[in-house]
Amino acid sequence: MAASASLRLRPVSRPGGPTSDSIPARLSNGEFVVNAAVNDDISLNGSFTFNESKNSTNDLQINRVPEQLAQASLDYHPMNSMFGFTAALNYVGEVHDTLGGGIGRKEYGNYVVVDLSGRVFLDNDRHHRFDIGVRNL
């Protein structure tokens, strides 16, 4: 696992307010999403997915498809400031792969990585922003 950095400049324009982007979620069994505003400046987000993707020939989890994925994040977005910050924990559950050469099926996964990002809005209406982030720490 290697750390990576990203730098993005993009316009932000979507319906909703500071805690809602008004986009309907399409969830399946075993999935949930929670968004909560702590106050006007801080929001918490969480999601979990249980993915039971089985191979039809042997009833084993499909190679390289995690059985569980989860994310928890905290976003600091004061409306009277041009700056914001996000910290996220990302969990990847059990993952399997079948290795050749007689090695067989190998389990890996069960790890957590951290994403950190900051942003500065370029206009008072918050339509344009500059993001910088470090992912997979």
Side-chain angles (χ1 to χ4, degrees), residues 5-28:
S6 65
L7 183 64
R8 296 182 300 199
L9 181 62
R10 62 187 172 136
V12 177
S13 177
R14 55 184 168 232
T19 60
S20 169
D21 51 11
S22 300
I23 297 172
R26 295 177 186 255
L27 303 174
S28 300

Side-chain angles (χ1 to χ4, degrees), residues 103-118:
I103 296 173
R105 192 161 168 88
K106 176 77 174 146
E107 179 184 315
Y108 61 100
N110 287 320
Y111 60 87
V112 175
V113 295
V114 176
D115 296 341
L116 301 172
S117 63

